[in-house]
Amino acid sequence: MNTRQLLKVAVLTTVAAVSFSMPVKAQVNVTPEDYRVALSLQKVIESVAEKVRPAVVDITSVSTVKFQHPAIPPEFRDFFRQFGFPMPQFPDMPKEFERKSLGSGFIVKVKNGWAYILTNNHVIDKAKKIRVKLYNGDVYTAKVVGADPKTDVALIKIKVGNKKVPVAKLGDSDKIKIGELVIAIGNPYRLDGSVTHGIISAKGRHGLGLNPIENFIQTDAAINPGNSGGPLCDIYGNVIGINTAIVRNAQGLGFAVPINIAKKVMHDLLKYGKVIRGWLGVYIEDVSPDVAAKFGIKSGVIVTKVIKGSPASKAGLKSGDIIVTYNGEQVKGVSDLQLKVVNTRPGDRVRLGIIRNGERETITVKIGQMPQHEMIADALSTLGLSVQKLTPELKQKLGIPENISGLVVTDIKPGSPADDAGLQEGDVIVSAGTKPQNLKPVKSVEAFAKLVEKAKDSGVLLKVYRNGFSFFVVLKAEE
């Protein structure tokens, strides 16, 4: 390296040293007004936390899980059944153990010495003991007022006597907007009273497979295990949702049950002891985008069948009608119409905007109450099972002998109780009962669903026909 090159390096080094030693000049000018705005937002979040945190409770539920042996894959179960080998036994393993579930809740009402708490059904489901810890550290044993698995909402209560306890204020989830700031409060991983904030990412989320009735608020406010049952609040401290679910291994994907749905569930449980839902009585399918374009509509549902004697039938609704509005509101699809109907009080009259033979019409329907057999039949879906009556046509199609009758399994949800029991599509449920002594032929879906509901946690004993063999299984809800 010559003298000129050495000089050049020395100059560059000196310049670099001077540059690094000089103070960095801010490229963004922050004004006092900017700080005032930031501090205002900070104060809003502080205010919400101060208002709502005292009403948030920690819930620990204890349930008993029973089992006889480790889960055996269906293909191995079939092997043992078909060749008459006894199922493997594990006599040294415990028959049951206690499981604790952690969650959150919030006090919504105090009456006659009882404090009522909203939470998720899955937080207290099948619990034999529920412990509630208040924000001040007081611990109580809770009683279940009622629960609604369809919406994953539950109402429990604790005896507080004359003690004053804070109550959360409920808002109106129908008025929320996408992009609105929200604050989530709960007890993730037993970290009591944790506060996170974000925005409403979306509304009306459904088809997630979490609940039979879905209309979730989606938020990016951090929600973790233990947050379930806690409140999602607006900037005024009003509860607009119940934090319910997260997408595992994802960030910023949390879901909450709208508080208006929870308010209806709470009202019905307190007044009737059960949830009352409206019923229209139709089978429907989504209108495809191409069909919608031809009819000049944005969305809607097409009626594929009208149940005889139903409110829809009495109002004159026909197969082939396209329902486009419900009391003036656009029908966005099957889930949207179902939600509108079940949230309508039985006896209320609603206006359906329909398209029939290419012409727009409006018909008035008096919404009925969902029949008990319709509500009970939904129990089958929670077991991951779909069935239908075995007709002569199905017998011929599936190659089932003439002397076999009952219900044919049309769908099994992977990982469901029906799947765990070893049932498969094409199986025929020949007879069912709560024990061997009262096994009876299965003649209808409704009768089978009622038996499932009656058996509840004890399970239903099924005699099943498959490929020339008959065997027994017990179908029961997950522990």
Side-chain angles (χ1 to χ4, degrees):
M1 183 178 293
N2 57 33
T3 304
R4 174 180 256 176
Q5 291 172 323
L6 285 171
L7 183 60
K8 184 177 181 181
V9 170
V11 170
L12 290 173
T13 302
T14 303
V15 171
V18 171
S19 299
F20 282 119
S21 64
M22 291 175 65
V24 178
K25 186 177 181 181
Q27 299 298 311
V28 178
N29 294 320
V30 182
T31 68
E33 180 62 26
D34 295 326
Y35 282 110
R36 281 194 290 270
V37 171
L39 285 171
S40 296
L41 177 59
Q42 181 177 302
K43 285 183 178 180
V44 165
I45 297 174
E46 290 173 356
S47 174
V48 172
E50 188 175 308
K51 290 177 183 176
V52 184
R53 282 182 79 198
V56 177
V57 304
D58 178 282
I59 299 175
T60 302
S61 63
V62 180
S63 58
T64 301
V65 178
K66 298 180 181 180
F67 63 97
Q68 295 180 339
H69 52 72
I72 300 175
E75 56 269 23
F76 290 105
R77 290 197 292 260
D78 293 341
F79 173 81
F80 287 113
R81 291 191 187 105
Q82 291 183 13
F83 291 95
F85 295 131
M87 293 288 283
Q89 300 297 314
F90 303 88
D92 296 330
M93 292 194 68
K95 301 297 182 183
E96 61 184 40
F97 67 93
E98 285 193 344
R99 179 176 62 190
K100 290 186 177 181
S101 298
L102 308 177
S104 306
F106 51 99
I107 302 171
V108 293
K109 180 180 181 180
V110 178
K111 185 177 181 180
N112 297 329
W114 290 94
Y116 293 84
I117 299 166
L118 275 176
T119 185
N120 285 137
N121 174 66
H122 75 261
V123 171
I124 55 91
D125 189 33
K126 296 183 177 66
K128 66 178 184 180
K129 184 178 181 181
I130 302 172
R131 191 201 73 161
V132 171
K133 185 175 76 171
L134 302 190
Y135 184 68
N136 64 5
D138 290 348
V139 177
Y140 297 86
T141 298
K143 294 183 178 181
V144 177
V145 178
D148 181 34
K150 285 179 177 292
T151 57
D152 198 15
V153 173
L155 184 67
I156 62 177
K157 65 180 182 179
I158 56 175
K159 188 69 172 178
V160 295
N162 295 325
K163 290 185 179 180
K164 289 188 177 294
V165 293
V167 175
K169 185 179 179 181
L170 305 185
D172 185 351
S173 54
D174 289 342
K175 294 181 179 180
I176 62 176
K177 297 179 180 179
I178 296 173
E180 185 175 323
L181 289 171
V182 289
I183 296 94
I185 305 177
N187 309 305
Y189 300 107
R190 284 205 177 281
L191 300 173
D192 296 355
S194 295
V195 179
T196 58
H197 69 91
I199 63 170
I200 293 174
S201 306
K203 301 191 303 180
R205 288 293 193 209
H206 58 269
L208 302 177
L210 300 172
N211 298 337
I213 296 177
E214 296 182 338
N215 187 38
F216 289 117
I217 299 168
Q218 181 184 329
T219 179
D220 67 348
I223 296 174
N224 293 284
N227 271 108
S228 290
L232 185 69
C233 308
D234 63 19
I235 60 173
Y236 302 103
N238 300 316
V239 180
I240 59 168
I242 303 177
N243 299 319
T244 299
I246 58 175
V247 175
R248 294 192 179 277
N249 303 319
Q251 293 183 352
L253 289 176
F255 301 94
V257 175
I259 198 63
N260 286 8
I261 290 179
K263 284 193 285 189
K264 180 187 182 302
V265 170
M266 179 173 67
H267 172 273
D268 286 359
L269 290 176
L270 289 172
K271 187 172 182 179
Y272 308 110
K274 61 181 181 179
V275 181
I276 305 297
R277 292 195 164 93
W279 183 55
L280 185 58
V282 291
Y283 291 89
I284 52 178
E285 293 180 359
D286 285 321
V287 173
S288 68
D290 289 341
V291 172
K294 287 291 185 182
F295 281 92
I297 58 177
K298 292 182 179 180
S299 60
V301 297
I302 185 166
V303 177
T304 57
K305 182 181 177 181
V306 178
I307 298 174
K308 186 177 180 181
S310 68
S313 174
K314 294 175 182 178
L317 206 61
K318 298 179 180 179
S319 176
D321 288 344
I322 298 176
I323 304 174
V324 292
T325 61
Y326 188 92
N327 268 349
E329 295 183 355
Q330 183 71 31
V331 173
K332 300 174 183 177
V334 169
S335 296
D336 182 43
L337 180 60
Q338 288 175 336
L339 191 66
K340 284 178 166 60
V341 173
V342 298
N343 283 331
T344 302
R345 291 286 176 191
D348 286 356
R349 297 183 181 275
V350 300
R351 293 171 287 104
L352 296 183
I354 67 170
I355 297 177
R356 178 181 293 170
N357 300 324
E359 300 293 331
R360 285 184 177 261
E361 298 182 24
T362 300
I363 64 173
T364 300
V365 181
K366 183 180 180 181
I367 297 298
Q369 182 174 330
M370 185 176 288
Q372 190 64 23
H373 68 80
E374 290 278 344
M375 299 177 72
I376 292 175
D378 285 332
L380 299 184
S381 65
T382 63
L383 296 173
L385 177 70
S386 295
V387 295
Q388 70 178 71
K389 190 172 178 61
L390 183 61
T391 63
E393 293 78 14
L394 280 173
K395 285 184 182 181
Q396 185 176 4
K397 182 179 179 180
L398 299 174
I400 296 172
E402 186 63 32
N403 64 323
I404 299 297
S405 61
L407 304 179
V408 62
V409 177
T410 57
D411 186 56
I412 295 290
K413 184 179 179 180
S416 66
D419 186 32
D420 291 340
L423 292 173
Q424 298 178 6
E425 291 182 27
D427 286 349
V428 179
I429 300 173
V430 177
S431 56
T434 55
K435 51 188 178 181
Q437 291 82 357
N438 61 17
L439 275 175
K440 293 181 179 180
V442 179
K443 297 182 179 180
S444 69
V445 176
E446 290 78 11
F448 179 57
K450 287 181 180 179
L451 179 60
V452 170
E453 177 69 11
K454 180 181 178 182
K456 292 186 177 179
D457 295 342
S458 65
V460 180
L461 178 65
L462 308 180
K463 183 178 180 182
V464 181
Y465 172 87
R466 179 192 297 164
N467 299 328
F469 295 90
S470 293
F471 56 92
F472 293 95
V473 301
V474 175
L475 181 63
K476 61 188 301 186
E478 292 177 319
E479 297 290 350

